């Protein structure tokens, strides 16, 4: 029985420019002269270097350890010498440097001692998650969320459906398409492993209907345990919320997660990485990257993490110049980078070279509503824009700015050329900065009050204790009278003394 599919609101249909790179086999990029590995290639806390400058490392050797639950270890992508640990430019929307481990390859590409897991079905799901965590696997679909955190949903919640997402909806990007065509059995076997890890009742692999070769390749490896579904080509059909809606008709609640409706989603490349981690003990040290646009030979490359963007472009016959711009990711959600020496990291799926064109003049909003009609979340982009532009951030939250997936559909259709997504990113970053400031101020106030409490306790401890007047637990009438008379007499004496002092002062 075929699965009923549903429509998500908004979205766009456009030319995708995928024919060339989707049909040419990917090639292995040669070993670069230098590998630069940022310690943060995932959402969460950066990992902490465990190697020293001058140390020799092997391919697949852990070189940085996780720092907390939402963090993962990092591994050397080839053998060689650690020549530096310091700040280097990293993939980021602005110019940005962060801690990196730099390796000079020795050319031997010699492996560290890695251990396979024999029969994953006999392994406890929790242990399977640990294998995946220790191999440094993040979601490879773009967000870079540590995979073990999402897998843990299967331990703490009931997972109805596991969805493996092969819907590569953004123009130019074909790295998942090529990976499926070339390594379909990795994807299908990895899917079964993830299913075991989350104990999902149902399992679906979805691809777009313009990926016929990928569909065929998967169909050769699939049995009745997995549904293979083609979804209609439309942007952003591969977004998590949109794909869930297409496949199940269910909506992830505003501010909620897929697991709140019993669903866990992983990308096809993540499934392939899980397969390698479990069957070989191989950590995540390479990935498929699409090189597209104004390059001589657009294609997919299998790249070691830490290879520079420039090396990848040169491998496709392109020398960077001022007439072009480089985008990491696709034209809709990618980021424009200025420094081509930055490294390929776990979340880099595409390098797109485009001709530099003068920016279109931004005109006033004419309230046409096109952005609203294009929004797949049914937000009100014109209202978000109006409030973001005037720094009215509280109001942007009323309009659910954090539900915006930054798909760019609204900017794409806007006849006034308003770069709406840029305004939304700005508003989100300002709200996040304000929350960080508030959290910092709360923490400082809490620490101040605790400090005061400790100081007060020290003063109390030093203060001499008051004399205790001994009385029996059940005093007689005489004892009570004596006690009261004594107190009255002491008070009278004090008063008379005070009076004398005052009289003397007045007479002076
Ligand atoms: S599409 Fe542009 S001009 Fe039209 S309502 Fe939205 S922001 Fe305004
Ligand atoms: S970028 Fe945000 S507001 Fe614009 S269409 Fe996409 S989800 Fe809607």
């Amino acid at each position: 029985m075929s699965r009923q599919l549903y429509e998500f609101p908004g979205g766009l249909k456009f030319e995708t420019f995928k024919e060339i790179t989707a049909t040419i086999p990917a090639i292995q990029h040669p070993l670069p002269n230098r590998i630069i590995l940022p310690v943060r290639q995932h959402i969460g806390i950066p990992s902490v270097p465990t190697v020293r400058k001058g140390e020799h490392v092997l391919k697949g050797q852990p070189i940085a350890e996780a720092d907390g639950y939402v963090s993962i270890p990092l591994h050397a992508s080839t053998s060689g010498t650690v020549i530096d640990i310091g700040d280097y430019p990293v993939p980021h929307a602005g110019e940005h440097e962060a801690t990196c481990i730099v390796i000079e390859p020795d050319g031997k590409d010699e492996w560290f001692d890695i251990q396979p897991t024999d029969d994953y079905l006999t392994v406890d799901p929790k242990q399977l998650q640990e294998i995946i965590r220790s191999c440094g696997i993040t979601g490879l679909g773009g967000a870079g969320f540590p995979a073990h955190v999402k897998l843990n949903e299967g331990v703490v919640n009931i997972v109805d459906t596991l969805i493996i997402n092969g819907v590569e909806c953004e123009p130019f990007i074909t790295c998942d398409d090529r990976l499926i065509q070339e390594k379909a059995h990795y994807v299908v076997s990895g899917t079964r492993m993830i299913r075991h890890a989350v104990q999902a009742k149902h399992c679906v692999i979805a691809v777009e209907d313009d990926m016929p070769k990928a569909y065929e390749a998967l169909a050769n490896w699939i049995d009745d345990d997995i549904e293979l579904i083609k979804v209609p080509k439309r942007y952003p059909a591969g977004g998590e919320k949109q794909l869930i809606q297409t496949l199940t008709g269910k909506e992830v609640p505003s501010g909620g997660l897929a697991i709140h409706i019993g669903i866990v989603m992983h990308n096809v490349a993540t499934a392939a990485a899980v397969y390698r981690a479990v069957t070989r003990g191989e950590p995540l040290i390479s990935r498929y990257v699409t090189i597209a646009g104004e390059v001589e030979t657009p294609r997919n490359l299998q790249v070691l993490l830490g290879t520079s963007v420039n090396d990848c472009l040169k491998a496709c016959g392109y020398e960077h110049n001022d007439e072009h711009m480089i985008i990491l990711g696709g034209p809709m959600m990618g980021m424009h980078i200025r420094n081509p020496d930055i490294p390929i990291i776990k979340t880099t799926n595409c390098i797109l070279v485009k001709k530099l064109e003068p920016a279109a003049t931004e005109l006033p909003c004419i309230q046409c509503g096109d952005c609203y009609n294009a929004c797949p979340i049914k937000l009100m982009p014109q209202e978000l824009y109006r409030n973001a532009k005037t720094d009215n951030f509280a109001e942007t939250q009323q309009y659910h700015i954090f539900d915006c997936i930054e798909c760019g559909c609204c900017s794409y259709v806007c006849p006034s050329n308003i770069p709406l997504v840029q305004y939304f990113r700005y508003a989100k970053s300002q709200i996040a900065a304000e929350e960080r400031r508030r959290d910092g101020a709360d923490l400082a106030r809490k620490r101040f009050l605790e400090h005061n409490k400790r100081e007060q306790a020290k003063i109390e401890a030093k203060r001499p204790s008051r004399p205790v007047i001994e009385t029996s637990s059940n005093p007689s009438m005489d004892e009570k009278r004596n006690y009261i008379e004594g107190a009255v007499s002491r008070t009278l004496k004090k008063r008379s003394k005070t009076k004398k002092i005052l009289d003397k002062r007045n007479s002076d």
Side-chain angles (χ1 to χ4, degrees):
M1 197 175 67
S2 64
R3 176 178 282 262
Q4 180 186 349
L5 297 183
Y6 302 82
E7 279 209 0
F8 62 87
L12 300 169
K13 280 189 179 174
F14 39 44
E15 183 63 57
T16 54
F17 309 101
K18 296 186 185 222
E19 304 73 27
I20 301 173
T21 56
T23 46
I24 300 175
I27 56 165
Q28 180 75 50
H29 184 277
L31 202 55
N33 294 330
R34 205 166 66 147
I35 292 275
I36 300 179
L37 293 162
V39 294
R40 186 178 182 190
Q41 303 189 26
H42 55 273
I43 285 181
I45 306 165
S47 34
V48 181
T50 50
V51 288
R52 286 190 308 274
K53 196 172 159 183
E55 196 171 330
H56 186 264
V57 292
L58 296 173
K59 182 173 182 163
Q61 179 180 332
I63 55 173
E65 65 187 7
D67 186 15
Y69 181 57
V70 188
S71 183
I72 43 169
L74 179 67
H75 303 78
S77 42
T78 187
S79 58
T81 306
V82 175
I83 56 168
D84 197 16
I85 300 174
D87 286 351
Y88 285 81
V90 294
H92 196 270
E95 301 278 310
H96 185 67
E97 293 194 344
T99 307
C100 295
I101 299 173
V102 186
I103 298 171
E104 187 176 73
D106 60 11
K108 296 179 188 162
D109 218 21
E110 199 181 336
W111 271 98
F112 186 64
D113 182 22
I114 51 174
Q115 296 297 329
T117 303
D118 288 336
D119 181 4
Y120 76 89
L121 283 173
T122 62
V123 174
D124 179 70
K126 204 70 191 138
Q127 206 183 329
L128 205 51
Q129 285 171 32
E130 177 49 29
I131 294 167
I132 290 161
R133 190 200 66 81
S134 66
C135 284
I137 299 178
T138 58
L140 294 177
F145 206 70
H148 69 276
V149 178
K150 261 190 179 181
L151 293 176
N152 197 46
E153 299 292 11
V155 174
V156 293
N157 294 292
I158 291 175
V159 177
D160 182 77
T161 308
L162 167 67
I163 299 174
I164 300 296
N165 186 351
V167 180
E168 206 167 32
C169 57
E170 198 162 350
F172 292 99
I173 308 176
T174 57
C175 56
D176 286 349
D177 192 346
R178 278 313 315 174
L179 171 80
I180 298 171
Q181 291 183 50
E182 295 170 17
K183 305 263 170 27
H185 63 295
Y186 286 19
V187 175
V188 175
S189 304
T191 298
R192 293 193 172 110
M193 289 164 186
I194 295 176
R195 183 180 192 172
H196 178 62
V198 298
Q199 297 285 295
K201 291 186 204 160
H202 309 285
C203 181
V204 182
I205 301 181
V207 294
E208 235 176 353
D209 61 9
D210 68 342
M211 299 166 70
K213 291 267 165 43
Y215 182 88
E216 265 173 45
L218 289 168
N220 288 335
W221 291 90
I222 274 177
D223 291 324
D224 293 346
D225 58 334
I226 299 173
E227 273 181 86
L228 178 59
I229 304 286
K230 278 186 211 166
V231 302
K233 174 179 148 184
R234 180 153 139 245
Y235 179 81
E240 185 177 77
K241 291 180 178 178
Q242 290 65 48
L243 187 55
I244 289 172
Q245 205 168 349
T246 304
L247 293 173
T248 67
K250 293 181 186 170
E251 282 187 44
V252 178
S254 171
L257 300 171
I259 191 60
H260 295 151
I261 51 171
I263 292 170
V264 168
M265 186 181 290
H266 284 275
N267 172 267
V268 282
T270 313
V274 165
Y275 169 80
R276 295 172 103 122
V278 175
T279 55
R280 302 178 191 169
E282 208 179 295
L284 180 57
I285 54 168
S286 68
R287 65 159 298 146
Y288 275 53
V289 182
T290 307
I291 318 296
E294 305 289 320
V295 298
E296 199 178 308
T297 49
R299 68 183 320 148
N300 279 280
L301 299 175
Q302 284 186 61
V303 185
L304 289 180
L305 302 179
T307 304
S308 77
V309 165
N310 222 357
D311 281 346
C312 296
L313 290 170
K314 282 181 185 162
C316 294
Y318 173 81
E319 281 286 343
H320 188 45
N321 59 61
D322 293 345
E323 287 170 25
H324 294 111
M325 67 193 284
I326 302 174
I327 295 171
L328 277 198
M332 299 298 285
M333 296 182 78
M335 60 172 140
H336 175 194
I337 56 150
R338 289 182 175 80
N339 184 350
D341 290 328
I342 59 166
I344 301 294
I345 61 170
K346 295 176 183 180
T347 51
T348 313
N349 56 4
C350 177
I351 306 171
L352 175 63
V353 179
K354 283 182 76 183
K355 275 216 170 76
L356 257 181
E357 281 161 13
T361 311
E362 185 179 328
L363 301 168
C365 170
I366 53 169
Q367 296 291 326
C368 64
D370 287 358
C371 52
Y372 172 75
N373 291 331
C375 180
I377 312 285
K378 280 282 159 250
L379 298 177
M380 299 181 75
Q382 67 276 50
E383 294 303 323
L384 286 171
Y385 158 69
R386 187 170 60 80
N387 288 297
K389 194 175 181 185
T390 50
D391 287 0
N392 197 352
F393 303 127
E395 202 67 10
T396 62
Q397 286 179 279
Q398 299 293 319
Y399 284 102
H400 306 286
I401 191 159
F402 284 102
D403 283 341
C404 167
I405 57 169
E406 300 179 15
C407 64
C409 291
C410 52
S411 308
Y412 186 87
V413 298
C414 177
S416 296
N417 306 316
I418 302 171
L420 294 160
V421 182
Q422 286 179 29
Y423 282 101
F424 306 159
R425 284 184 185 146
Y426 162 73
K428 284 182 189 177
S429 67
Q430 292 299 309
I431 294 166
E434 177 54 33
E435 276 174 7
R436 278 198 299 275
R437 268 197 298 277
R438 212 171 32 228
D439 287 351
D442 282 352
L443 189 64
R445 193 159 49 92
K446 200 169 152 212
R447 289 173 64 189
F448 172 76
L449 291 174
E450 278 168 4
H451 172 79
N452 268 4
K453 212 167 145 189
R454 280 197 303 274
E455 291 303 306
Q456 194 61 36
K458 278 187 207 161
I459 292 167
E460 290 295 335
K462 282 183 192 160
R463 185 174 286 164
S465 50
R466 282 168 182 269
V468 179
I469 297 162
E470 295 282 349
T471 56
S472 64
S473 56
N474 189 13
S476 66
M477 282 305 288
D478 283 348
E479 281 174 328
K480 283 182 187 169
R481 193 179 301 118
N482 288 342
Y483 177 76
I484 292 166
E485 282 174 0
V488 170
S489 143
R490 281 194 300 278
T491 308
L492 289 175
K493 264 188 203 162
K494 255 190 204 169
R495 276 192 196 158
S496 127
K497 202 173 163 188
T498 312
K499 188 167 180 301
K500 275 182 195 160
I501 292 167
L502 289 174
D503 288 348
K504 188 168 182 295
R505 197 180 288 166
N506 290 339
S507 66
D508 288 348

